[in-house]
Amino acid sequence: MTIRRIMPDIKVDAEEQMATSRDFYGLLGFEEVMHMGWMMTMASPANPTAQISFFTEERTAPVVPDLSVEVEDVDAVYAQVVASGAEVVRELRDEEWGVRRFFVRDPNGRVVNVLTHLPAGRTSVRDDVGDQP
């Protein structure tokens, strides 16, 4: 199983806090790479897998996760997690911004967003067989 990156997710109270966070983490060398209004991701220009995200809310899940783990095969990881009996907080599904993900609660009560980026131009794992969600 290949882990591609691990990223902390930080809940903020308002978009103003995102701006303050962007300014602060900019001092550490991070640059904004994605902003969807309710979430913002910053990354190191020298090492794009070094990232941190800020959320005012989670629009497609019941909670803001504590961290995100990008894996090579999210379906295989999901099957292992379900078989283990761990608490799935949000079922596996494709997102319109090009990721497939699920949320699971770790033994410490932290919520982990486990994801895989879909290939460029695809918004669903079913795109390759013509079955749109």
Side-chain angles (χ1 to χ4, degrees):
M1 181 176 325
T2 301
I3 297 172
R4 294 182 173 158
R5 69 184 164 126
I6 298 174
M7 175 176 55
D9 297 323
I10 298 175
K11 173 95 168 76
V12 296
D13 293 327
E15 278 194 57
E16 296 80 30
Q17 256 188 303
M18 273 195 216
T20 303
S21 296
R22 181 182 54 241
D23 294 344
F24 174 79
Y25 284 93
L27 297 172
L28 302 178
F30 286 89
E31 293 179 352
E32 183 180 309
V33 294
M34 183 168 78
H35 199 297
M36 298 174 65
W38 54 276
M39 73 84 64
M40 173 186 69
T41 298
M42 299 186 72
S44 163
N47 178 5
T49 62
Q51 297 183 354
I52 187 168
S53 287
F54 303 90
F55 294 77
T56 58
E57 63 182 314
E58 174 50 75
R59 293 237 171 124
T60 65
V63 297
V64 171
D66 295 295
L67 69 127
S68 295
V69 177
E70 182 181 358
V71 297
E72 185 173 43
D73 185 349
V74 72
D75 291 275
V77 174
Y78 183 73
Q80 288 180 321
V81 165
V82 169
S84 79
E87 179 189 352
V88 174
V89 176
R90 183 190 171 278
E91 299 293 324
L92 180 66
R93 80 176 214 200
D94 300 336
E95 299 289 7
E96 64 185 44
W97 57 89
V99 299
R100 183 166 174 78
R101 68 184 186 150
F102 71 93
F103 289 10
V104 62
R105 192 171 311 277
D106 81 2
N108 304 300
R110 301 293 180 192
V111 176
V112 181
N113 170 27
V114 183
L115 68 120
T116 294
H117 278 85
L118 297 170
R122 289 180 46 197
T123 57
S124 169
V125 294
R126 293 176 289 267
D127 284 354
D128 59 346
V129 293
D131 182 19
Q132 297 297 315

